[in-house]
Amino acid sequence: MKTFYLSIFVFALIVISQSSVRKYIAEEDYFRGFKAREFSIYCPERKTLHYRIESSWSYRYSIRLVVYPSKKTIGKLTASKKSKLFQGNFKLRNETTKSWSSGKIEQQHRRFGQNWTISWNETKFSMLTEPASFLTTFHDLEANQTAVGKFRLRLQSLLWVNVYDIEFNGTHESDSIFLLSFALKDHASQWKETH
Ligand SMILES: *[C@@H]1O[C@H](CO)[C@@H](O)[C@H](O)[C@H]1NC(C)=O
Ligand SMILES: *[C@@H]1O[C@H](CO)[C@@H](O)[C@H](O)[C@H]1NC(C)=O
Ligand SMILES: *[C@@H]1O[C@H](CO)[C@@H](O)[C@H](O)[C@H]1NC(C)=O
Ligand SMILES: *[C@@H]1O[C@H](CO)[C@@H](O)[C@H](O)[C@H]1NC(C)=O
Ligand SMILES: *[C@@H]1O[C@H](CO)[C@@H](O)[C@H](O)[C@H]1NC(C)=O
């Protein structure tokens, strides 16, 4: 019987993940102490926890992307800062091949707004935010800068915890990369507020 329900669950997950647009809601934890912000990521509604973004300070700031319900870590990132610009090295786990592959997220100099570049296994993306905008967009740099995802800070966030609406429509494996990029960008803005 358990196996039966599990199969239905796995089947439901596959159906969700194959639809061309994936929508998530990312909600910051209310209590964070001195740590960087951590998030619960729900899909498609608040009820279903799909990922957690967890952070820690060791030698450097690091984040982990944990997938639910298995609670497996499928992404790891360590961040550093060089002459005012952030960069992060990340590793992603492929559940099929059980192997890790690595990539890089780098903040580029931009006079107004933000421009980050993401490279992973011969794919390249950019993550752009226009000045004074709550919207950040992802673009596939190998495919004529096609938009492949976005996230937007909800206005209520200014009063309470940060809540983001996220939409991804690239390949499925890019979701994890974009979530790590989202977390790094959020960390960069938090750092700016408190230093
Ligand atoms: C973002 O940075 C990359 C790499 O420097 C550059 O190729 C791209 O044109 C920049 N995009 C914007 C919108 O500034
Ligand atoms: C990297 O890309 C190549 C070609 O697109 C693919 O065959 C390979 O499986 C990818 N590696 C990983 C770790 O995803
Ligand atoms: C790339 O985008 C430009 C401007 O949006 C367009 O003129 C051009 O046809 C596109 N090229 C391809 C190969 O899609
Ligand atoms: C993804 O959605 C954006 C609009 O949010 C659209 O411009 C883009 O063409 C879509 N990309 C794909 C690969 O479907
Ligand atoms: C895992 O690797 C396989 C084989 O390279 C590839 O087909 C698949 O798309 C990868 N999955 C993810 C989620 O990266």
Side-chain angles (χ1 to χ4, degrees):
M1 205 59 183
K2 261 189 183 162
T3 326
F4 174 71
Y5 282 120
L6 192 65
S7 321
I8 289 185
F9 182 71
V10 168
F11 177 72
L13 271 187
I14 289 170
V15 170
I16 289 168
S17 59
Q18 278 182 345
S19 68
S20 59
V21 179
R22 273 91 58 202
K23 293 186 180 186
Y24 301 97
I25 296 167
E27 188 175 66
E28 180 195 348
D29 290 2
Y30 175 58
F31 180 77
R32 62 173 183 268
F34 294 104
K35 285 210 282 190
R37 289 198 272 252
E38 299 190 315
F39 289 91
S40 290
I41 296 166
Y42 302 95
C43 168
E45 287 168 44
R46 286 277 171 99
K47 280 174 289 205
T48 321
L49 182 63
H50 205 67
Y51 297 101
R52 284 274 307 156
I53 287 173
E54 301 190 337
S55 68
S56 66
W57 290 99
S58 40
Y59 162 58
R60 282 173 168 171
Y61 169 65
S62 65
I63 63 170
R64 283 189 308 139
L65 180 67
V66 181
V67 67
Y68 278 71
S70 69
K71 296 195 181 178
K72 277 199 179 131
T73 298
I74 57 162
K76 295 178 189 169
L77 178 144
T78 47
S80 57
K81 208 174 170 218
K82 237 187 239 164
S83 55
K84 294 192 179 167
L85 298 172
F86 281 86
Q87 62 175 52
N89 290 305
F90 67 85
K91 280 198 162 86
L92 277 189
R93 182 176 159 89
N94 182 315
E95 283 302 308
T96 316
T97 60
K98 309 246 180 285
S99 60
W100 291 86
S101 57
S102 50
K104 203 166 201 166
I105 304 168
E106 290 170 287
Q107 187 176 15
Q108 306 292 330
H109 178 73
R110 195 178 179 196
R111 189 79 183 84
F112 299 106
Q114 290 188 29
N115 179 9
W116 299 70
T117 52
I118 304 159
S119 49
W120 177 74
N121 193 28
E122 293 162 38
T123 55
K124 280 192 165 60
F125 301 99
S126 67
M127 176 170 73
L128 302 174
T129 314
E130 297 309 320
S133 172
F134 288 151
L135 176 70
T136 297
T137 51
F138 291 94
H139 303 267
D140 188 336
L141 293 178
E142 310 284 283
N144 210 12
Q145 315 233 12
T146 315
V148 284
K150 59 186 176 189
F151 60 88
R152 186 193 297 270
L153 182 70
R154 284 196 190 170
L155 218 51
Q156 70 183 63
S157 307
L158 301 178
L159 303 172
W160 191 236
V161 296
N162 283 354
V163 178
Y164 292 90
D165 291 298
I166 301 178
E167 261 181 58
F168 295 144
N169 60 353
T171 63
H172 192 243
E173 59 260 42
S174 62
D175 286 16
S176 322
I177 301 171
F178 294 165
L179 288 173
L180 289 171
S181 310
F182 155 77
L184 179 58
K185 180 180 180 289
D186 182 82
H187 170 63
S189 65
Q190 185 189 3
W191 207 90
K192 221 171 138 189
E193 284 163 20
T194 54
H195 286 76

